[in-house]
Amino acid sequence: MPASTHRAPSTASEGPMSYAIFQLARAHRARAGVMLREMDLHPGQELLLMQLLDRDGQSQSELLASVGLDHSTVSKSLRRMQDAGLLVREPDEHDRRVMVVHLTDKGRAMREPIAAMWRALEETSALNLSAQQAESFVRTAYAIADAINNPALPRDESE
């Protein structure tokens, strides 16, 4: 495995793993962003499309919960995606206050391009890892996410 060329600021010595996660997330998001722009998508829109490709006709609230983004971000993304012809939003037939999101044919046609993008991103991400290291990383990343998302953790009272 190649040695890291990253030099963390001295204060990051209090959280080297957290600083590494930050650097990884930033690099991954930047690479994904370039790939998504080539598909005329903004970062995060592919996550919404993937959720709709798995289950079309979700409410905006369901999509919000599934991707873990804030309401204004999801609403803005859905508006842009509707303007691009990828989806339509319509009031629910039983509750007109609820907006239901449906993919258009153009949106459904994004399945393979998004899958290909994720495959390419995965190959790039795992370039310097063995298959065992990649599997271990996935388990470790989910364990860290579970720990961070643990509702029993004390919260900062300023939040």
Side-chain angles (χ1 to χ4, degrees):
M1 177 168 66
S4 175
T5 59
H6 300 282
R7 294 194 43 86
S10 61
T11 51
S13 67
E14 298 299 319
M17 182 179 67
S18 294
Y19 191 76
I21 292 169
F22 167 78
Q23 291 294 332
L24 169 62
R26 190 174 77 173
H28 194 270
R29 182 175 171 86
R31 177 60 65 113
V34 168
M35 298 169 88
L36 289 165
R37 280 189 292 282
E38 292 171 357
M39 298 167 47
D40 292 324
L41 294 174
H42 294 274
Q45 290 180 341
E46 83 283 13
L47 301 175
L48 293 166
L49 283 169
M50 290 190 298
Q51 291 297 324
L52 289 166
L53 286 164
D54 279 355
R55 190 169 66 83
D56 199 8
Q58 294 183 56
S59 71
Q60 283 190 208
S61 297
E62 291 171 316
L63 282 170
L64 187 73
S66 66
V67 295
L69 298 171
D70 65 82
H71 181 271
S72 62
T73 301
V74 170
S75 183
K76 183 179 178 181
S77 289
L78 291 174
R79 186 175 57 252
R80 282 182 170 170
M81 294 166 72
Q82 185 167 354
D83 291 346
L86 298 169
L87 55 84
V88 293
R89 295 181 291 174
E90 303 168 329
D92 182 78
E93 62 185 56
H94 301 294
D95 184 348
R96 307 296 284 171
R97 297 170 298 173
V98 174
M99 293 301 286
V100 179
V101 183
H102 294 278
L103 290 171
T104 62
D105 290 341
K106 183 178 178 181
R108 281 187 288 281
M110 295 299 292
R111 180 182 295 278
E112 184 48 39
I114 289 172
M117 176 243 157
W118 278 98
R119 276 192 302 275
L121 187 57
E122 185 84 359
E123 288 172 13
T124 299
S125 298
L127 193 61
N128 297 326
L129 302 177
S130 68
Q132 183 179 1
Q133 288 172 315
E135 289 173 23
S136 178
F137 174 79
V138 170
R139 284 192 307 275
T140 301
Y142 280 120
I144 292 169
D146 288 346
I148 290 170
N149 292 323
N150 183 342
L153 287 177
R155 297 290 175 204
D156 184 351
E157 284 154 31
S158 66
E159 291 181 356

